[in-house]
């Protein structure tokens, strides 16, 4: 499954691109994240036990304490439901580009890369043909001199997965709105795949203008690694909240298709049929909702995916610690 380190890596790649600097590699991020967690755990162990009563407080003394305000707004999770307020377009700062971007932007049904979010947020729907054609990506991973190797390396470090990278904006009240989501069903090496699609989802989702530096502090990312692809016996042969769905069908002589990740239907509150109709409209179908069964050669593939997410603040706190660690180790002569 995806990990917090994968999410931090995507933030690192995006921030480095916006700052026009080199990014840490996935291996370095994983190692430094493990060290950061160990550092925090050691810090917690050094904290005094608050359950031990202050010796200056005796039985019968009145102790005053502050309580949380019951009127605080609860967290609101409105993923893909709130209207998108798109920021002004800005020139794309990406220094790493996929060779398949032109096909991501065009309505061609031959791309292996796709977005997985409801088309109601899109001025132009993302389209995907579910054939065997795909485009492989390659990215150079940068290396810095600091960062020690973890004693327990990630089990996914040498494996390949189909993956999706999602960027959301989080409002001051906790509302979530889609900012970009693109992925691929072609298995990817995690380092190059996450690096490539973190930038592609941020800069090349044609439903949105490229992400700007000023937006970074309002972003959150969610990474989904996909597995267990199984052809459905019929279009409703899948489970809400467990499976993602990949549809393909013929419409007006063209082969169309699209996908939703496992969490989309549940977040939207859709039934299975509503999910299928929305997915077909996302692919470009314009028929009446009740006629969805009448399209030609409708095929469905279900799959599973374990996701992980984190916000900018988590990345910023970790990155500040990494920067301080770098300075400290340089001062000690640990870094050339």
């Amino acid at each position: 499954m995806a990990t917090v380190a994968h999410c931090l890596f995507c933030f690192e790649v995006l921030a480095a691109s916006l700052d026009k600097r080199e990014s840490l590699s996935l291996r370095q991020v994983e190692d430094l994240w493990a060290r950061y967690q160990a550092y925090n755990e050691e810090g917690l162990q050094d904290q005094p036990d608050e359950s031990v009563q202050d010796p200056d407080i005796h039985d019968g003394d009145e102790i005053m304490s502050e309580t949380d305000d019951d009127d605080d707004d609860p967290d609101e999770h409105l993923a893909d439901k709130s209207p998108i307020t798109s920021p002004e377009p800005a020139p794309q700062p990406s220094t790493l580009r996929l060779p398949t971007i032109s096909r991501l932007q065009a309505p061609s049904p031959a791309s292996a890369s796709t977005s997985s979010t409801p088309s109601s947020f899109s001025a132009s729907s993302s389209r995907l043909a579910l054939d065997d054609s795909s485009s492989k990506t390659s990215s150079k991973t940068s290396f810095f001199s600091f960062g020690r190797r973890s004693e327990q390396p990630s089990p996914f470090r040498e494996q390949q997965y189909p993956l999706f990278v999602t960027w959301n904006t989080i409002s001051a009240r906790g509302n979530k709105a889609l900012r970009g989501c693109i992925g691929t069903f072609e298995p990817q090496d995690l380092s190059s795949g996450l690096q490539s699609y973190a930038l592609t989802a941020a800069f090349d989702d044609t439903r949105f203008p490229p992400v700007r530096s000023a937006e970074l502090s309002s972003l959150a990312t969610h990474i989904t690694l996909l597995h267990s692809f199984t052809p459905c016996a019929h279009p409703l042969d899948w489970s809400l909240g467990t499976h993602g769905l990949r549809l393909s069908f013929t419409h007006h002589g063209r082969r169309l298709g699209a996908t939703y990740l496992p969490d989309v239907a549940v977040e939207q509150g859709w039934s299975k049929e509503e999910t299928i109709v929305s997915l077909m409209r996302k692919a470009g179908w314009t028929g009446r909702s009740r006629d969805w069964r009448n399209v030609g050669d409708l095929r469905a593939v279900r799959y599973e995916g374990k996701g992980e997410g984190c916000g900018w603040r988590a990345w910023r706190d970790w990155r500040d610690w990494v920067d301080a660690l770098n300075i400290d180790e340089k001062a000690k002569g640990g870094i050339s």
Side-chain angles (χ1 to χ4, degrees), residues 47-248:
Q47 294 297 319
D49 187 351
E50 295 182 358
S51 64
V52 178
Q53 184 172 326
D54 191 316
D56 293 333
I57 298 177
H58 305 284
D59 291 341
D61 288 348
E62 182 178 3
I63 302 175
M64 302 296 295
S65 63
E66 296 181 356
T67 59
D68 294 334
D69 187 355
D70 293 336
D71 295 330
D72 288 345
D73 292 332
D75 290 337
E76 297 175 333
H77 301 284
L78 304 178
D80 301 338
K81 294 182 181 179
S82 304
I84 291 176
T85 302
S86 298
E88 296 180 1
Q92 177 173 324
S94 172
T95 58
L96 183 151
R97 297 298 302 269
L98 287 174
T100 57
I101 285 174
S102 61
R103 289 192 298 205
L104 289 173
Q105 297 173 333
S108 168
S111 173
S113 301
T114 181
S115 62
S116 66
T117 48
S119 58
S120 58
F121 295 95
S122 170
S124 61
S125 298
S126 299
R127 292 174 173 84
L128 167 72
L130 306 180
D131 55 18
D132 293 332
S133 63
S134 61
S135 57
K136 296 185 178 180
T137 62
S138 60
S139 306
K140 292 184 178 179
T141 303
S142 60
F143 290 88
F144 289 96
S145 57
F146 66 92
R148 300 173 186 171
R149 293 186 177 182
S150 171
E151 296 297 326
Q152 297 180 343
S154 166
F156 296 107
R157 193 167 280 167
E158 302 300 329
Q159 298 186 31
Q160 294 184 330
Y161 285 87
L163 59 88
F164 275 76
V165 177
T166 302
W167 293 104
N168 295 302
T169 55
I170 309 298
S171 72
R173 292 176 59 85
N175 295 334
K176 181 169 65 174
L178 181 66
R179 189 62 180 85
C181 180
I182 293 180
T184 178
F185 292 108
E186 176 72 16
Q188 304 285 308
D189 291 327
L190 282 185
S191 181
S192 60
L194 289 174
Q195 184 178 24
S196 297
Y197 283 95
L199 297 180
T200 305
F203 299 137
D204 300 303
D205 189 329
T206 57
R207 299 170 292 179
F208 308 94
V211 168
R212 301 172 303 162
S213 296
E215 297 177 73
L216 196 59
S217 62
S218 68
L219 292 180
T221 190
H222 193 269
I223 312 303
T224 309
L225 305 183
L226 311 181
H227 61 91
S228 302
F229 290 83
T230 306
C232 297
H234 53 81
L236 299 177
D237 181 27
W238 54 283
S239 300
L240 287 166
T242 299
H243 296 117
L245 189 64
R246 186 181 182 188
L247 286 182
S248 68

Side-chain angles (χ1 to χ4, degrees), residues 275-291:
T275 302
I276 290 174
V277 170
S278 176
L279 197 48
M280 292 173 64
R281 295 204 187 284
K282 177 185 177 183
W285 181 64
T286 57
R288 294 177 297 182
S289 296
R290 64 177 179 269
D291 295 334

